[in-house]
Amino acid sequence: AQTVTQSQPEMSVQEAETVTLSCTYDTSESNYYLFWYKQPPSRQMILVIRQEAYKQQNATENRFSVNFQKAAKSFSLKISDSQLGDTAMYFCAFRSNNNDMRFGAGTRLTVKP
Amino acid sequence: NAGVTQTPKFQVLKTGQSMTLQCAQDMNHNSMYWYRQDPGMGLRLIYYSASEGTTDKGEVPNGYNVSRLNKREFSLRLESAAPSQTSVYFCASSEDLPGGLEGHFGDGTRLSIL
C-alpha cells in the first residue's frame, strides 16, 4: 500500500514570507494523483492544490505552488506571501488508480504577524 | 448545494454499544471514503468504495464495517464500540476521470466512547 510521509510536524513563518512544506510518498505505480489539503481550526478539509503524476509541469494556484519530483517521490508545497489566514494543518495526500486515497500525518503551520 | 453530509455531528457511546455513522453525497460521485482523525494526527483510511456495490479495506479497518447502500450513501458501523475508537470521523467522496479526483469532505462526526 502507498504511504505518505510529512517529516515536519510543525512550521512557522513570518507574515509575507515564503514557506515550504515537505512531503514524500512511496508507490510502485506510475500514474497517480497528489494533493495538498488545508485544515483550519474549523476542521473543514479544504483542497489547496492538485498534481497529476503524468504532468511534468508543477501546479500553481495563486500563492500556492508545488515542486513535484517524480523520480524522488517528493511533492513539496510552497506558500508565498504568507497570510495570517494560512495558519492551519496542512496534509499531503496520494490517490492511486484504484481510488485508494491516503494522507500524511500533517504539518501544523503558524503564520506570525 | 449540500455536498457531503454526515450524521450525526456528535455522539457519545458506552463501551460495547453499536452505532452507524451515515454519509450521503449529492454530487454523483462514484468513490466514497471513511477516515478517522485522532488528535494531532492525519487522516487514516478505514474503508473506501470505488463504486456502488464494492468496498475495500484501508489502513485501519478492524472494528468497523461499511455498507455502500447506493451511489449516494456510504455508512460506517461500529458493532461493539471501544475507547480506542474515540476519534473524529470524516466521510469523503470524489469524482473519477476526467474530473478533479480530489476528495470532497463532510464536516466530520466527533465520536466519544466511554
Side-chain angles (χ1 to χ4, degrees):
Chain A
Q2 287 71 226
T3 58
V4 181
T5 302
Q6 293 179 248
S7 59
Q8 306 153 313
E10 295 190 22
M11 295 277 287
S12 63
V13 63
Q14 291 296 132
E15 195 175 6
E17 297 292 306
T18 296
V19 64
T20 299
L21 308 184
S22 301
C23 174
T24 59
Y25 56 93
D26 186 27
T27 184
S28 58
E29 297 186 12
S30 58
N31 196 26
Y32 46 86
Y33 306 86
L34 297 162
F35 308 92
W36 278 97
Y37 283 86
K38 169 184 177 180
Q39 187 181 44
S42 67
R43 226 172 54 195
Q44 280 184 296
M45 291 291 288
I46 302 166
L47 178 70
V48 174
I49 199 165
R50 79 166 72 88
Q51 174 81 43
E52 291 90 343
Y54 63 87
K55 290 187 177 178
Q56 292 186 337
Q57 186 173 8
N58 288 325
T60 300
E61 286 287 340
N62 300 314
R63 297 183 296 107
F64 299 89
S65 61
V66 299
N67 183 4
F68 174 48
Q69 302 288 328
K70 191 172 184 179
K73 296 180 183 176
S74 170
F75 181 59
S76 60
L77 175 70
K78 186 171 83 170
I79 306 174
S80 304
D81 185 24
S82 297
Q83 300 175 359
L84 297 178
D86 295 335
T87 292
M89 285 288 290
Y90 286 82
F91 294 102
C92 178
F94 174 105
R95 176 176 171 155
S96 66
N97 276 328
N98 69 352
N99 299 327
D100 187 338
M101 188 159 60
R102 304 288 174 112
F103 285 76
T107 296
R108 182 177 302 279
L109 176 68
T110 302
V111 180
K112 298 179 178 179
Chain B
N1 189 16
V4 178
T5 303
Q6 290 183 236
T7 55
K9 295 190 185 304
F10 302 94
Q11 185 70 47
V12 179
L13 295 177
K14 293 181 179 178
T15 298
Q17 286 186 314
S18 62
M19 168 87 192
T20 298
L21 306 185
Q22 306 287 353
C23 176
Q25 53 94 5
D26 61 2
M27 296 171 282
N28 202 36
H29 289 167
N30 280 321
S31 298
M32 296 187 74
Y33 307 82
W34 276 106
Y35 295 90
R36 61 177 288 175
Q37 184 177 26
D38 299 316
M41 295 182 67
L43 281 73
R44 290 186 292 169
L45 181 64
I46 304 171
Y47 273 94
Y48 69 102
S49 171
S51 62
E52 185 179 351
T54 68
T55 60
D56 286 282
K57 294 179 180 179
E59 301 169 79
V60 289
N62 292 343
Y64 305 95
N65 287 302
V66 291
S67 294
R68 184 75 183 267
L69 305 168
N70 47 56
K71 193 170 186 179
R72 289 188 65 247
E73 298 172 289
F74 188 39
S75 62
L76 178 72
R77 183 162 178 83
L78 288 71
E79 289 292 350
S80 179
S84 61
Q85 294 177 305
T86 292
S87 190
V88 178
Y89 290 84
F90 285 95
C91 176
S93 70
S94 69
E95 298 178 80
D96 298 325
L97 288 170
L101 296 175
E102 69 269 20
H104 297 258
F105 285 81
D107 290 337
T109 295
R110 185 177 293 277
L111 183 61
S112 295
I113 298 158
L114 307 177

